[in-house]
């Protein structure tokens, strides 16, 4: 595991030769050893084509490549950091929430409309995700930022989980998500409970939820 | 059935029963849940009118169902309070959730409320059950006994419970009037027997400026 949590807002990553890390540009706090930081024009992995893909999808957070040997401390904006370990499955996360991830992971973008069609696009708009989201696949660990603490809710086929779109951070596993509306006549007359839209996640995996309804 | 998950998230396990929570504070749930807004805090027409008049408005929803529901609000620290027939006094903005069995109401605080910067009235929670209150930073619980009265900065006060008398203390002197005050011109003094919740942060109050 490449990332170690020092406290809830700071992580330490060990860099060894031949293993790259990607991190958000400017998120390095301190480092020991011989480590180089190169801005990553393409904004992550893949060639120019995936760069264009990310630009178009507006998922092109400035990233940098971290190489060398030593240890690096990462943190950003006083946000809470959650380290997620992936073992072959796919993590879906917003690009601006990504703090750092291992080079062994495969990065990609996903069109939300491909999951649920028009409702998928509506869902992206409501949860502030836009039309696209970033995917990370493979074996390795990811550091994700959130406002307030993060907790993990397991999803099993028998128990779908509903999440407030504003508090949603990321999810992994074989999970289908759709926007469920609980709009009733009460919402129409201004008597809503403030929970009219929810993300319904079903399948098997886990969802990460932050202790706040504020975006980053 | 209230439990804390970390210090900022409240998890409530429900089996067909109900809880009252601040509007829009749900972050996730599993199982089946229904959310319904309760006008005027669920205290009937009289409570609603009282709340409107006193400015202690709170928008409360009733959550009912089977499963686990998680609540959080702007990453505030959450404290659990269990009530055995006693009364909790808390600002409506600091109240996150209560058992449906608990009664809520409003009470007059007098000059103390004005010095805290949140009005002349406060919310009371009464009965048997659990409540969750929020604070800016982890709150400390201070015990007050007849031998040991407690004095608190109005801006750091969150809630209190038990049989307590409170009075406003002023340290206004000639120096304060000259603009040389120490920034601690007003304090609330608690006497009696009970608990006071204090947060490690101060709201903006009139008292804090002089």
């Amino acid at each position: 595991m490449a990332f170690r949590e020092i406290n809830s807002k700071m992580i330490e990553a060990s860099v060894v030769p031949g293993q790259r890390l990607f991190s958000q540009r400017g998120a390095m706090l301190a480092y020991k050893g011989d480590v180089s930081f190169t801005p990553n024009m393409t904004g992550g992995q893949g060639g120019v084509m995936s760069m264009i893909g990310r630009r178009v999808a507006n998922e092109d957070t400035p990233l940098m490549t971290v190489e060398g040997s030593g240890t690096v401390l990462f943190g950003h904006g006083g946000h809470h950091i959650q380290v997620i370990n992936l073992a072959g499955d796919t993590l879906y996360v917003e690009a601006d929430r990504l703090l750092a991830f291992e080079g062994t992971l495969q990065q990609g973008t996903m069109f939300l409309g491909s999951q649920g069609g028009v409702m998928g696009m509506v869902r992206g708009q409501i949860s502030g995700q836009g039309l696209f989201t970033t995917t990370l696949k493979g074996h390795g660990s990811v550091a994700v930022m959130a406002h307030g603490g993060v907790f993990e809710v397991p999803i099993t086929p028998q128990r779908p989980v509903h999440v407030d779109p504003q508090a949603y951070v990321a999810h992994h596993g074989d999970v289908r998500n759709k926007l469920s509306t609980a709009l009733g006549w009460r919402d129409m007359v201004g008597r809503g409970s403030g929970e009219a839209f929810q993300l319904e996640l079903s399948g098997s995996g886990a969802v990460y939820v932050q202790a706040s309804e504020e975006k980053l | 059935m209230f439990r804390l998950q970390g210090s900022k998230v409240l998890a409530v396990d429900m089996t067909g029963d109900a809880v009252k929570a601040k509007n829009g504070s749900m972050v996730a749930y599993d199982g089946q849940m229904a959310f319904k807004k309760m006008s005027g805090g669920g205290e009937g027409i009289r409570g609603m009118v009282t709340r409107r008049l006193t400015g202690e408005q709170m928008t409360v929803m009733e959550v009912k169902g089977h499963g686990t529901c998680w609540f959080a609000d702007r990453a505030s620290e959450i404290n659990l309070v269990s009530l055995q027939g006693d009364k909790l006094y808390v600002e409506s903005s600091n109240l996150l959730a209560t058992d449906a069995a608990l009664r809520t109401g409003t009470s007059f605080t007098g000059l103390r409320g004005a010095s805290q910067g949140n009005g002349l009235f406060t919310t009371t929670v009464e009965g048997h059950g659990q409540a969750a209150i929020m604070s800016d930073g982890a709150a400390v619980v201070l015990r007050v006994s007849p031998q040991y009265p407690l004095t608190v900065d109005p801006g750091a006060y969150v809630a209190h419970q038990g049989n307590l008398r409170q009075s406003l203390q002023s340290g206004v002197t000639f120096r304060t009037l000259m603009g040389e005050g120490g920034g601690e011109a007003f304090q609330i003094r608690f006497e009696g027997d009970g608990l006071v919740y204090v947060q490690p942060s101060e709201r903006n109050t009139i008292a804090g400026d002089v």
Side-chain angles (χ1 to χ4, degrees):
Chain A
M1 193 180 128
F3 300 127
R4 197 169 65 81
E5 286 175 52
I6 293 193
N7 57 34
S8 61
K9 293 174 182 176
M10 217 193 259
I11 55 161
E12 187 186 68
S14 47
V15 190
V16 287
Q19 263 186 354
R20 286 190 301 176
L21 286 178
F22 291 98
S23 91
Q24 196 172 93
R25 220 177 281 176
M28 185 275 286
L29 300 173
Y31 71 92
K32 275 186 287 195
D34 180 25
V35 184
S36 70
F37 302 90
T38 21
N40 198 311
M41 276 314 286
T42 55
Q45 286 177 329
V48 178
M49 274 319 279
S50 33
M51 171 183 93
I52 294 169
R54 273 191 285 274
R55 287 281 161 86
V56 170
N58 205 10
E59 285 279 326
D60 60 330
T61 319
L63 289 178
M64 59 187 184
T65 315
V66 184
E67 279 169 308
S69 68
T71 53
V72 189
L73 294 179
F74 291 111
H76 186 67
H79 293 301
H80 277 258
I81 300 166
Q82 173 80 20
V83 175
I84 301 170
N85 294 308
L86 292 178
D89 45 351
T90 310
L91 180 80
Y92 298 83
V93 64
E94 270 316 281
D96 52 1
R97 285 191 184 275
L98 268 181
L99 180 71
F101 58 95
E102 283 186 87
T104 49
L105 292 169
Q106 229 174 15
Q107 193 189 7
T109 33
M110 193 194 71
F111 178 52
L112 284 177
S114 68
Q115 213 185 40
V118 180
M119 265 327 259
M121 292 188 240
V122 174
R123 184 183 72 227
Q125 294 305 323
I126 284 175
S127 59
Q129 286 178 300
L131 292 178
F132 295 88
T133 195
T134 296
T135 58
L136 291 168
K137 194 180 175 182
H139 292 261
S141 43
V142 190
V144 175
M145 292 186 287
H147 185 254
V150 178
F151 66 102
E152 182 182 344
V153 186
I155 305 166
T156 54
Q158 299 84 32
R159 285 209 96 124
V161 175
H162 297 252
V163 180
D164 190 314
Q166 278 117 35
Y168 164 86
V169 174
H171 73 267
H172 72 75
D174 177 26
V175 172
R176 273 182 320 285
N177 65 11
K178 71 168 206 252
L179 190 75
S180 69
T181 48
L183 278 175
W185 61 272
R186 283 169 177 275
D187 297 279
M188 302 303 169
V189 293
R191 290 258 160 266
S193 60
E195 312 288 7
F197 294 98
Q198 290 140 11
L199 279 177
E200 186 187 322
L201 300 125
S202 53
S204 57
V207 58
Y208 296 88
V209 184
Q210 67 179 12
S212 167
E213 275 105 358
E214 267 169 47
K215 302 296 287 181
L216 283 185
Chain B
M1 57 180 219
F2 279 32
R3 67 195 152 82
L4 284 180
Q5 194 151 352
S7 61
K8 299 185 177 81
V9 181
L10 171 74
V12 183
D13 300 315
M14 278 184 271
T15 48
D17 43 346
V19 291
K20 284 190 269 188
K22 188 176 172 176
N23 228 23
S25 60
M26 181 277 286
V27 291
Y29 70 86
D30 65 8
Q32 285 294 319
M33 295 284 162
F35 301 89
K36 199 172 91 184
K37 180 168 172 171
M38 301 176 86
S39 304
E43 293 155 32
I45 299 287
R46 198 163 150 240
M48 193 164 124
V49 172
T50 320
R51 284 197 177 274
R52 282 283 156 83
L53 291 177
T54 55
E56 273 287 305
Q57 277 148 350
M58 47 178 196
T59 38
V60 176
M61 59 179 181
E62 186 193 54
V63 185
K64 201 173 184 176
H66 293 265
T68 308
C69 193
W70 287 272
F71 298 97
D73 189 44
R74 272 170 285 149
S76 304
E77 297 280 332
I78 300 170
N79 308 276
L80 290 184
V81 181
S82 63
L83 293 172
Q84 267 91 37
D86 49 343
K87 212 173 194 177
L88 176 77
Y89 294 80
V90 60
E91 271 317 296
S92 61
S93 56
N94 283 341
L95 189 62
L96 179 67
T98 63
D99 270 340
L102 291 171
R103 287 185 306 282
T104 49
T106 38
S107 88
F108 182 66
T109 56
L111 208 54
R112 178 183 69 80
S115 74
Q116 274 168 256
N118 30 14
L120 293 170
F121 294 86
T122 194
T123 296
T124 56
V125 184
E126 211 179 345
H128 291 265
Q130 280 180 304
I133 56 176
M134 295 183 287
S135 57
D136 186 4
V140 286
V141 188
L142 299 173
R143 171 161 285 282
V144 181
S145 60
Q147 296 88 12
Y148 295 101
L150 176 74
T151 312
V152 183
D153 188 301
Y157 163 85
V158 177
H160 75 267
Q161 71 181 113
N163 182 24
L164 289 174
R165 279 182 317 285
Q166 44 184 319
S167 55
L168 188 72
Q169 243 183 11
S170 111
V172 180
T173 59
F174 171 68
R175 282 178 160 272
T176 319
L177 298 175
M178 297 293 286
E180 293 287 315
E184 304 286 359
F186 292 97
Q187 291 116 25
I188 327 171
R189 189 177 164 89
F190 288 97
E191 279 169 289
D193 209 2
L195 299 171
V196 180
Y197 297 81
V198 179
Q199 67 183 14
S201 157
E202 296 182 12
R203 284 182 291 265
N204 284 326
T205 58
I206 314 161
D209 295 335
V210 287

